[in-house]
Amino acid sequence: MNVLFSSGCYCSVGATAGKNDELTISDALCDPLIAIVMRADGVISEEFKRLLETAARELEANLANSVSGGGKDTRHVCRNDTEDG
């Protein structure tokens, strides 16, 4: 089923049900619940889109670096501060 939202966004609803639980950027921008929260928070869709695209690029770069071995060692050493040494 296709739905046209008041924002002008035209989305398929239920088209990916059961196939993939992850939202794409387009899906997130069209999601009515996300739109309600954005409106309540005063966030415009272009700002949200830029934020998601920036986060996606950074995640992709970080994943590429970790696969190629070019990234920093992100493991953290945990230490109990109550112990000596």
Side-chain angles (χ1 to χ4, degrees):
M1 172 172 65
N2 294 317
V3 177
L4 178 62
F5 293 100
S6 60
S7 64
C9 190
Y10 188 72
C11 295
S12 296
V13 176
T16 61
K19 294 180 186 175
N20 186 351
D21 292 340
E22 300 293 324
L23 290 177
T24 64
I25 292 174
S26 295
D27 291 339
L29 292 170
C30 292
D31 186 273
L33 183 57
I34 292 175
I36 290 169
V37 174
M38 286 173 41
R39 189 170 27 250
D41 290 342
V43 176
I44 60 172
S45 60
E46 270 307 308
E47 290 174 344
F48 188 51
K49 181 179 179 183
R50 279 193 303 271
L51 172 75
L52 293 175
E53 289 172 341
T54 299
R57 279 192 303 274
E58 289 179 9
L59 179 60
E60 188 174 303
N62 288 341
L63 288 173
N65 282 339
S66 67
V67 169
S68 69
K72 292 188 232 174
D73 185 1
T74 57
R75 293 174 293 174
H76 298 283
V77 176
C78 295
R79 188 184 77 155
N80 184 344
D81 288 330
T82 60
E83 294 179 9
D84 291 337

